[in-house]
Amino acid sequence: FDRHSPWARLPLAGTLKQCLALGASAMLMLAAQATAQTQPADQRAPSSQLPITLIDDRGTKISFAAPPQRVVSMLPSLTESLCALHACNLLVGTDRSSNSPPSVVALPKLGGLDDAQIERIVGLRPDVVLLSTAARVIDRLEAVGIKVVVLDSRTHADVQRSLKTLG
């Protein structure tokens, strides 16, 4: 937020900025991986960096043999962060509340954290689904073989830890 924005005067503006920073960090990782796939072979990162492994906010280790190309985001902040990093093209579906930028409005809407539409998510064949710890569908998605990255940020320390994990 810019300091002259009415949002900057809200008491939670700092916390919101921290949450967005966490989401942006996760999306930066995905966007960087997607960008690497479009570069000429001599400019790509060495294959020794594969597989890509991270530990999400549940403490779960997630590995990717290749950078994710099909992403479902079930949080508006993560959707917006991914698009801010010019990686909207990775999105194949979002939660019902994601409506910015305008390009995500046309994507399939897959419910919310409490009522995600599992069959529709599976049908989109995502490489990864981005969720918060509050989501009720984590176990069900993983049971059908969908990789899930859980990102949750409630405090500044959470944001710092997550940034370090993803960085």
Side-chain angles (χ1 to χ4, degrees), residues 9-82:
R9 292 187 288 274
L10 290 174
L12 294 177
T15 303
L16 183 57
K17 287 179 193 177
Q18 293 168 352
C19 290
L20 289 173
L22 171 63
S25 296
M27 296 307 105
L28 180 60
M29 175 193 75
L30 292 170
Q33 294 163 1
T35 301
Q37 293 299 307
T38 62
Q39 294 176 339
D42 61 337
Q43 293 179 5
R44 289 186 193 159
S47 60
S48 63
Q49 293 181 354
L50 294 175
I52 300 160
T53 302
L54 63 91
I55 298 175
D56 72 4
D57 286 350
R58 300 171 293 171
T60 301
K61 187 176 184 179
I62 302 107
S63 293
F64 298 93
Q69 298 298 305
R70 299 179 60 81
V71 178
V72 168
S73 172
M74 295 302 289
L75 288 170
S77 61
L78 295 177
T79 301
E80 291 176 22
S81 296
L82 186 62

Side-chain angles (χ1 to χ4, degrees), residues 105-151:
V105 173
L107 291 172
K109 299 302 176 193
L110 306 166
L113 293 178
D114 293 331
D115 63 347
Q117 299 168 2
I118 305 291
E119 296 82 10
R120 290 189 66 212
I121 293 171
V122 171
L124 291 172
R125 300 178 332 275
D127 297 323
V128 65
V129 176
L130 305 175
L131 292 164
S132 85
T133 55
R136 295 182 178 182
V137 298
I138 297 168
D139 292 337
R140 289 187 284 168
L141 286 170
E142 290 177 330
V144 295
I146 303 288
K147 291 187 181 193
V148 173
V149 173
V150 176
L151 300 171

Side-chain angles (χ1 to χ4, degrees), residues 73-102:
S73 172
M74 295 302 289
L75 288 170
S77 61
L78 295 177
T79 301
E80 291 176 22
S81 296
L82 186 62
C83 291
L85 295 166
H86 307 289
C88 268
N89 61 316
L90 298 178
L91 287 168
V92 295
T94 68
D95 62 287
R96 80 169 60 82
S97 299
S98 288
N99 61 7
S100 181

